[in-house]
Amino acid sequence: MALHSSHKEHTAFYSDAQMNIIDSIIAALLLTLVCLNWSRGDMYHNKKSAFETQQIIDATDAPVAMAAGPAAPAIGRVLLKWAGRLWTAIEVAEFVKERNAEKEKAEHTSGREATERIMAQREQYLRTEGAEALVSSAYQGDMESVRNLLRAGVDINAENENGSTALMWAAHQGHSRVVEVLLDKGANPNHASHNGFTALMWAAQSGHIAAVRLLIANGANVKAATESGTTALWWSLTGENIEIARLLIEKGANVEATIQTDLENRELMRVGTTVLMKAAYSGQTDFLKLLLNHGANVHARRRDGETALSLAMRMEQSEAANALRMWAEKDCACR
């Protein structure tokens, strides 16, 4: 019995204490390997990688010990155990790195798609609600809101549902300061709505000469016409501001522009109607004389045969009729 015990002690190459030391050295080497993996990714992913690695390593201990068998020398079992652990740690580290890289890529792609979606929604908002807000703010003369909306990225020439812009509504309402700011920031002075109206026409129609001056100074076309043939000069008679009419004529407005489309039940919206005929029909003698002095044809006839004089007489505009009659007689005498 003593001999057998002594033989076992001599056949053991290393004591348990030595085995623990070897075990600890190998453990330190493996820990170093795992720590090296921490340089690939953020702290959360690395801690998670180390935890998962340890879980898998622990799961390999029992199978490796069984493979070693009780007859294997102690050092052999330790080396075999740690060889298995080392290989497992390498595989796990590579797997976790690849998975983390894929996750980061997926997160990056997801973030980019979300950003693109948000930007698309923002662009849609700026084109719709933003455009309506800008037009509404300009209509009300709300300078602060106009500036804020432009800073937010709303298109300065954005249209509302009928094709009107902020500049057109500011001009229509006579908000000359808003008109000036919009023009300075690049608003198109010749933008036309769906039926061909421009900001200049709207300003003339409303009688706002300050807005008319600003628009002309910034390149507004004084000869522009709507689909039916009306011009800013035509609409200046509606605004009853003769100074606007005079300014438009001085800047080259066509005093002979005519209506191009018949409109039922509208006396002044029949093919061939001139601005002079409109002045005669409504008894605007001052406008009538201004037009005549700048070359309007007193003898012009529209498609149904009416003249400025016949319209004035039919509407019992005696002062306008007398002025037209005298001008016609003088014109005939000169010929």
Side-chain angles (χ1 to χ4, degrees):
M1 188 67 169
L3 287 173
H4 179 71
S5 176
S6 174
H7 176 73
K8 284 185 64 179
E9 290 176 2
H10 286 291
T11 56
F13 295 105
Y14 298 99
S15 67
D16 290 339
Q18 291 173 320
M19 288 295 97
N20 289 336
I21 292 172
I22 294 172
D23 207 10
S24 298
I25 292 171
I26 297 176
L29 291 173
L30 182 58
L31 180 60
T32 301
L33 176 66
V34 173
C35 288
L36 288 175
N37 184 46
W38 289 10
S39 63
R40 301 286 298 276
D42 57 39
M43 185 60 71
Y44 168 77
H45 286 154
N46 289 323
K47 284 184 177 179
K48 192 171 183 181
S49 300
F51 174 74
E52 291 173 346
T53 302
Q54 187 59 52
Q55 280 188 316
I56 297 175
I57 289 173
D58 290 343
T60 63
D61 280 349
V64 168
M66 290 177 64
I75 185 62
R77 289 198 301 273
V78 169
L79 292 175
L80 181 61
K81 178 181 73 173
W82 282 107
R85 286 187 170 189
L86 183 61
W87 181 254
T88 302
I90 292 172
E91 288 186 329
V92 170
E94 290 301 318
F95 169 76
V96 173
K97 287 176 185 177
E98 291 176 3
R99 193 195 62 181
N100 288 346
E102 291 175 359
K103 183 176 180 181
E104 289 171 3
K105 181 180 178 182
E107 288 174 350
H108 174 69
T109 302
S110 176
R112 183 174 60 198
E113 290 175 349
T115 301
E116 290 174 352
R117 184 170 61 255
I118 291 170
M119 292 301 294
Q121 291 171 347
R122 178 179 181 274
E123 291 299 320
Q124 177 64 22
Y125 174 83
L126 293 178
R127 285 194 301 270
T128 54
E129 287 85 349
E132 290 290 345
L134 180 61
V135 171
S136 177
S137 297
Y139 174 84
Q140 297 169 21
D142 186 346
M143 178 65 75
E144 183 178 359
S145 293
V146 168
R147 290 183 184 277
N148 288 338
L149 288 164
L150 292 178
R151 277 195 291 265
V154 178
D155 181 5
I156 198 168
N157 294 308
E159 304 175 359
N160 65 5
E161 59 184 5
N162 66 2
S164 302
T165 64
L167 179 63
M168 294 168 71
W169 276 110
H172 182 276
Q173 294 302 104
H175 300 307
S176 57
R177 180 58 183 145
V178 177
V179 169
E180 183 177 17
V181 169
L182 290 171
L183 289 169
D184 286 345
K185 292 188 176 296
N188 180 6
N190 292 307
H191 179 94
S193 64
H194 295 163
N195 57 6
F197 265 82
T198 65
L200 184 61
M201 294 176 195
W202 282 28
Q205 180 187 41
S206 303
H208 301 304
I209 191 167
V212 168
R213 287 197 177 102
L214 284 167
L215 289 163
I216 292 175
N218 284 273
N221 181 8
V222 298
K223 295 182 179 180
T226 63
E227 293 177 354
S228 62
T230 61
T231 62
L233 181 59
W234 171 280
W235 291 110
S236 70
L237 272 69
T238 302
E240 299 183 349
N241 189 322
I242 196 168
E243 292 305 316
I244 290 178
R246 183 174 287 110
L247 177 60
L248 291 169
I249 292 172
E250 289 174 357
K251 296 300 181 179
N254 182 11
V255 297
E256 290 295 313
T258 60
I259 297 301
Q260 302 296 312
T261 306
D262 279 333
L263 190 62
E264 288 185 32
N265 303 319
R266 292 286 297 276
E267 179 69 58
L268 294 178
M269 295 297 289
R270 296 183 184 172
V271 174
T273 302
T274 64
V275 181
L276 183 67
M277 292 176 189
K278 180 179 183 180
Y281 182 89
S282 56
Q284 293 172 286
T285 308
D286 290 340
F287 281 92
L288 184 146
K289 292 178 179 179
L290 175 67
L291 293 165
L292 289 170
N293 285 323
H294 284 86
N297 183 7
V298 70
H299 304 292
R301 291 181 180 274
R302 65 186 189 186
R303 190 163 63 181
D304 61 4
E306 292 275 18
T307 65
L309 179 57
S310 67
L311 287 169
M313 293 175 63
R314 184 152 60 83
M315 297 305 297
E316 299 182 351
Q317 301 289 358
S318 57
E319 185 179 356
N322 289 334
L324 288 164
R325 191 179 291 111
M326 290 176 61
W327 189 274
E329 290 173 357
K330 184 174 68 173
D331 184 62
C332 289
C334 291
R335 293 182 184 181

